[in-house]
Amino acid sequence: MGHFLAARYYRIKATWPYFIPIPLAPIGTMGAVIRILEPIRNKKQLFDIGIWGPLMSLILSVPCYIVGIYLSSLVPVDSVRENPGIISFGESIFTITMNQWILGPFDPTAQDVWIHPLAQAGWVGLLVTAINLLPFGQLDGGHVIYSVFGERYRNWIYYLFTVFLLLCLWNFSWLLWGFLIYFIIKVEHPFVPDSAVPLDRIRKIGGLLILFTLIFIFVPSPIQLGTDINRPGLAEEVWISLKSVYLDL
């Protein structure tokens, strides 16, 4: 809806949002898309249309997750690992911090969070926002990073995409996203007429902040079943080690 409202503000013709259903629990949806029916005339418009989608999502998802964690409880980790039907939600820096701040401090090797449905909704919203903030092609992050850096970003965007593909070490599903980005969404952003004209300082700072937010809400391994929790791979072990260091700070 944020994209649509920004497009209407600039009097750019666009469709109403189309929600993308994902018939898999607990996701349900991958957010919404709109079709821009006429060319975006400059980077200012591109930036505002691109950034208001993730901003609206964060405004809704963050409070949902925080309130949901207040309504959640701690359970022994063994009760999760012994149940093959239980879905384990992956963690980001943001969720680790909120879980420990609200329910903790607790030892994540001994206890896990049994999250409330409201927190589940917030978690899904944050996951979808993180995916949309990936800095490629026609994703929201692609709009923002192109608006901030202009045409010169083409010199290094494929290096960044290569780094992104390393996420397959954490979770094989990122290979699918890499395929979708490379062949459908595209790695590079389409040309915008005034790409050589820089954004104003406020938008540049806002763009960098929203891209920096991706680091905090990104989930390396989004979902695991109970039986998979006992079999962390090398990358998972690295993430667990980094998480332990972070919690000890």
Side-chain angles (χ1 to χ4, degrees), residues 115-126:
I115 69 172
H116 188 272
L118 186 60
Q120 290 184 22
W123 182 90
V124 170
L126 290 170

Side-chain angles (χ1 to χ4, degrees), residues 136-138 151 153-154 157-158 181 185-190:
F136 306 115
Q138 296 279 20
E151 282 293 303
Y153 101 117
R154 300 189 193 277
I157 190 61
Y158 278 96
I181 290 171
I185 299 172
K186 304 301 181 183
V187 177
E188 296 187 40
H189 193 279

Side-chain angles (χ1 to χ4, degrees), residues 128-163:
V128 173
T129 303
I131 292 174
N132 282 326
L133 279 176
L134 293 174
F136 306 115
Q138 296 279 20
L139 294 172
D140 296 336
H143 297 322
V144 172
I145 200 170
Y146 180 82
S147 301
V148 172
F149 294 100
E151 282 293 303
R152 67 182 185 274
Y153 101 117
R154 300 189 193 277
N155 297 327
W156 43 264
I157 190 61
Y158 278 96
Y159 295 111
L160 189 60
F161 180 68
T162 302
V163 173

Side-chain angles (χ1 to χ4, degrees), residues 3-125:
H3 302 306
F4 176 77
L5 294 176
R8 290 294 296 269
Y9 175 80
Y10 285 113
R11 301 182 184 277
I12 295 174
K13 293 181 181 179
T15 64
W16 285 88
Y18 295 103
F19 284 89
I20 306 172
I22 300 292
L24 296 173
I27 304 298
T29 179
M30 283 302 296
V33 296
I34 65 171
R35 287 187 60 199
I36 303 294
L37 302 178
E38 60 180 293
I40 295 176
R41 293 179 286 276
N42 54 62
K43 287 196 301 181
K44 177 183 175 182
Q45 294 179 355
L46 176 68
F47 177 87
D48 289 351
I49 292 173
I51 201 171
W52 270 105
L55 274 180
M56 291 284 284
S57 180
L58 288 171
I59 289 171
L60 295 173
S61 300
V62 169
C64 276
Y65 188 82
I66 292 175
V67 174
I69 290 300
Y70 271 107
L71 301 174
S72 302
S73 58
L74 296 174
V75 296
V77 168
D78 291 340
S79 66
V80 177
R81 292 177 175 174
E82 293 171 358
N83 191 331
I86 287 182
I87 294 176
S88 176
F89 294 87
E91 295 178 308
S92 64
I93 296 174
F94 171 77
T95 59
I96 293 170
T97 303
M98 290 299 101
N99 294 351
Q100 289 288 337
W101 178 47
I102 296 171
L103 298 176
F106 63 90
D107 182 1
T109 63
Q111 293 179 297
D112 202 356
V113 180
W114 189 272
I115 69 172
H116 188 272
L118 186 60
Q120 290 184 22
W123 182 90
V124 170

